[in-house]
Amino acid sequence: MTHFDYTTAFKRNIGLVSVNEQEQIKKFTIAIPGMGWVGSNHLIALVRQGFQNFKIADFDEYEIHNFNRQYGAKIENLWKNKAATMVEEALKINPDCHIELFDKWINKDNIDEFLKDVDLSVDALDIFCPKARRLFFNESHKAKIPVITAGPMWFSFAWAIMMPDGPNFDEYFCVDDNTSDEEFVLHFALGLSPSMLHIKYMRNVSLEEKSWPSSIAWVLAASSFVVTNALRVLFKWEWLKPLPYTHQFDYRRNIYKCNKLRFGLNTPWQKLKLKIAIKMVTKKS
């Protein structure tokens, strides 16, 4: 077996990052709950950048319908746990990776341990997991851990960065204990993409069945964003535009839009857009 050498494996990163920065990358710890469509690709992209300390969580198993977008979705991995499989995939790239595996969903009982000694949180939760997402964001914010999220939206992806000195999840997305799961999904989707660049061709949405279309195209785009902005956040590169700024780029329409919602979704105009979104989703489901 060929001996693994970190410096040689990632020397092509030099020039995009400095030698010193590449060495620092080895020391950061990143938390990623969810090893499905975005999480699995985020993990592999970050490993190829040279990150090697992670905490990941997922209790789900691979099924055939995962094959169009999830990194570990292969015939030999059917019915295997996604998180355990992705540990194996990461170690095939960098055998020095240290990955702490949580084979249960994050919850109030394990969130403190999941976020312990973490430098960056990367949201990879399914959009239909509202309680876990809200917990992950808000507890990261309390622990002063930056959070990056990049959510696929048809042939586009929307992204945001939550910094410790900015609004927390509840404040920006205007949710609380009384928000229903269906409302939460729409609040999160609209909060990430208030311009709704994908709305003209949005089809096949079902909140009841918890499904919408997916494509590997924007999953990979989202992962490229996560890697680049993980570096920007951790190394304090050029000025970020974190929440209340959000961003969306639509590949199909070739449009980029940056929005600033100073008060998040807690304005009459944004609440009206939520009502319209509910009607559109109901009509196109």
Side-chain angles (χ1 to χ4, degrees):
M1 179 178 177
T2 302
H3 175 69
F4 178 79
D5 178 73
Y6 182 94
T7 301
T8 302
F10 301 109
K11 68 179 182 180
R12 291 297 182 91
N13 292 338
I14 306 305
L16 299 174
V17 297
S18 68
V19 173
N20 182 56
E21 286 171 335
Q22 189 65 59
E23 283 299 309
Q24 290 181 65
I25 285 171
K26 294 167 63 175
K27 302 174 184 178
F28 292 121
T29 298
I30 299 178
I32 314 176
M35 282 290 114
W37 49 347
V38 290
S40 59
N41 287 284
H42 290 350
L43 176 65
I44 295 302
L46 289 163
V47 169
R48 292 198 184 279
Q49 185 61 48
F51 291 97
Q52 57 183 26
N53 297 305
F54 300 91
K55 293 188 177 186
I56 65 173
D58 206 318
F59 67 88
D60 203 6
E61 298 176 340
Y62 286 110
E63 300 179 57
I64 288 286
H65 65 79
N66 301 142
F67 277 39
N68 76 321
R69 66 201 182 280
Q70 299 190 19
Y71 188 91
K74 305 170 185 177
I75 292 296
E76 63 265 31
N77 292 334
L78 277 173
W79 314 119
K80 290 184 179 180
N81 175 263
K82 293 180 180 180
T85 298
M86 290 312 301
V87 171
E88 295 176 3
E89 294 293 337
L91 291 174
K92 291 176 184 177
I93 299 167
N94 181 353
D96 292 337
C97 280
H98 175 75
I99 304 177
E100 189 173 349
L101 173 63
F102 289 67
D103 59 2
K104 295 182 179 180
W105 215 230
I106 56 170
N107 54 57
K108 292 181 178 179
D109 295 328
N110 64 17
I111 189 65
D112 289 341
E113 182 61 27
F114 190 67
L115 294 176
K116 184 179 179 181
D117 299 323
V118 165
D119 299 291
L120 178 68
S121 291
V122 174
D123 171 34
L125 291 160
D126 190 286
I127 196 168
F128 297 106
C129 296
K131 293 182 177 61
R133 171 168 279 113
R134 183 181 176 217
L135 177 71
F136 179 62
F137 270 81
N138 284 333
E139 291 304 312
S140 293
H141 194 269
K142 288 180 185 177
K144 300 187 182 306
I145 302 169
V147 184
I148 294 175
T149 186
M153 300 280 183
W154 283 258
F155 280 108
S156 74
F157 72 102
W159 68 93
I161 301 170
M162 187 180 74
M163 297 297 287
D165 58 352
N168 68 18
F169 190 90
D170 288 6
E171 291 168 342
Y172 178 81
F173 290 98
C174 196
V175 297
D176 55 33
D177 292 341
N178 297 317
T179 306
S180 69
D181 289 358
E182 292 78 12
E183 290 173 330
F184 185 100
V185 170
L186 292 173
H187 280 238
F188 184 65
L190 184 60
L192 269 188
S193 56
S195 296
M196 302 174 72
L197 299 181
H198 54 287
I199 202 71
K200 288 188 175 182
Y201 61 88
M202 186 178 76
R203 298 291 186 275
N204 298 336
V205 183
S206 175
L207 296 183
E208 184 177 342
E209 297 178 7
K210 297 183 177 181
S211 67
W212 65 21
S214 61
S215 167
I216 189 61
W218 33 255
V219 172
L220 295 177
S223 293
S224 69
F225 164 84
V226 166
V227 173
T228 303
N229 284 276
L231 298 172
R232 294 180 71 207
V233 170
L234 293 169
F235 291 127
K236 298 179 174 60
W237 285 352
E238 297 90 347
W239 180 61
L240 297 167
K241 283 190 173 182
L243 289 178
Y245 288 95
T246 60
H247 313 258
Q248 184 180 9
F249 184 79
D250 191 288
Y251 281 75
R252 176 168 167 172
R253 300 180 63 203
N254 198 29
I255 301 174
Y256 164 73
K257 184 70 175 179
C258 174
N259 292 281
K260 181 181 180 182
L261 302 184
R262 183 179 177 185
F263 301 104
L265 297 185
N266 195 25
T267 65
W269 171 236
Q270 297 303 325
K271 290 178 180 179
L272 175 61
K273 287 171 68 176
L274 281 167
K275 290 182 179 180
I276 295 172
I278 291 172
K279 290 182 179 180
M280 294 188 72
V281 167
T282 302
K283 181 180 179 181
K284 294 185 177 184
S285 294

